Amino acid sequence: GENVEQHPSTLSVQEGDSAVIKCTYSDSASNYFPWYKQELGKRPQLIIDIRSNVGEKKDQRIAVTLNKTAKHFSLHITETQPEDSAVYFCAASSMDTGRRALTFGSGTRLQVQP
Amino acid sequence: DADVTQTPRNRITKTGKRIMLECSQTKGHDRMYWYRQDPGLGLRLIYYSFDVKDINKGEISDGYSVSRQAQAKFSLSLESAIPNQTALYFCATSDWAPNEQFFGPGTRLTVL
């Protein structure tokens, strides 16, 4: 089955700096890669996703890049703000029948220092 | 607003007891999922269902069972709870797979 590794497990940045979280996956058939944000005591919520037909996707201060050859993808947050402090999870899934469930990484706790 | 709800939100039980966690959704989604969250381990899939008659085991299904009573309801049971099942449990739904999943508020389960 799919295995997703996520690094770092914790990340502390100063407000205004950029943050980068990296994930690698094992199944070359995976072609959907979402990122979820979980604030303290809250449920995970999708913040951005990318499918394998594109290499990069942006949404305001958030971007995701995908390298299918190397089987890794990354989340980039620019101009970080205190409200970006949360746990971030990457995930991977295949469009193939029978392998459509998401496999999540272990999470990165991001702390943005004011 | 269409939502995903879970009951109970918190539960403390004893080893050997049978426990049922319930999930309901008003999003009209066919696909429903159960995950458990443990510190440092992320979200791990227990079971998932793509429709009422299609139920599949996830990566950690041992010790758990599920029932899909209707499109809107998906229950998770622990037949004989043990302490290492202490965790935060999330239900989620999606309109198709793979696509955005919408999570419920979670159930914090403690097995003593």
Side-chain angles (χ1 to χ4, degrees):
Chain A
E2 177 64 278
N3 182 48
V4 178
E5 294 191 358
Q6 182 171 347
H7 300 281
S9 57
T10 61
L11 179 61
S12 182
V13 300
Q14 292 295 125
E15 183 176 356
D17 287 351
S18 295
V20 180
I21 303 170
K22 298 180 179 182
C23 288
T24 60
Y25 61 98
S26 62
D27 188 350
S28 57
S30 289
N31 49 19
Y32 174 67
F33 308 94
W35 287 87
Y36 285 79
K37 175 183 180 182
Q38 185 180 26
E39 297 177 355
L40 189 63
K42 300 288 183 65
R43 67 189 80 182
Q45 291 188 298
L46 181 75
I47 54 172
I48 194 167
D49 58 11
I50 190 168
R51 298 184 192 269
S52 60
N53 56 343
V54 296
E56 184 176 1
K57 184 176 179 180
K58 278 187 172 182
D59 183 2
Q60 300 183 340
R61 296 185 297 108
I62 293 173
V64 57
T65 58
L66 171 65
N67 182 328
K68 287 213 71 178
T69 302
K71 290 191 282 188
H72 67 71
F73 57 111
S74 300
L75 179 71
H76 304 254
I77 306 175
T78 58
E79 301 173 15
T80 54
Q81 301 168 4
E83 52 264 39
D84 294 327
S85 295
V87 177
Y88 292 81
F89 294 99
C90 64
S93 180
S94 171
M95 293 289 287
D96 296 342
T97 302
R99 288 191 288 181
R100 296 189 183 187
L102 291 177
T103 300
F104 283 85
S106 54
T108 297
R109 183 172 301 278
L110 173 65
Q111 189 167 8
V112 180
Q113 308 283 357
Chain B
D1 281 344
D3 201 5
V4 183
T5 57
Q6 293 182 235
T7 56
R9 295 292 312 279
N10 288 280
R11 182 69 183 269
I12 299 173
T13 191
K14 295 183 178 180
T15 297
K17 294 291 187 181
R18 184 178 187 275
I19 295 297
M20 180 180 284
L21 309 183
E22 298 186 332
C23 177
S24 294
Q25 53 112 346
T26 56
K27 288 191 167 293
H29 291 168
D30 286 329
R31 290 152 179 83
M32 298 186 74
Y33 311 83
W34 274 105
Y35 294 93
R36 68 175 276 175
Q37 183 175 25
D38 300 276
L41 294 178
L43 293 154
R44 292 183 293 166
L45 183 64
I46 307 172
Y47 271 95
Y48 61 105
S49 171
F50 282 173
D51 66 42
V52 175
K53 296 181 180 179
D54 180 13
I55 295 178
N56 305 277
K57 293 183 177 179
E59 60 180 297
I60 55 162
S61 60
D62 287 349
Y64 301 94
S65 63
V66 292
S67 174
R68 184 84 184 264
Q69 301 96 325
Q71 187 211 32
K73 295 184 183 294
F74 193 34
S75 300
L76 176 71
S77 293
L78 289 68
E79 295 302 325
S80 180
I82 56 177
N84 77 358
Q85 291 177 315
T86 292
L88 182 57
Y89 289 84
F90 284 103
C91 173
T93 74
S94 66
D95 55 357
W96 58 284
N99 201 25
E100 178 176 6
Q101 292 187 11
F102 295 86
F103 286 79
T107 294
R108 186 165 297 282
L109 177 66
T110 302
V111 183
L112 301 176

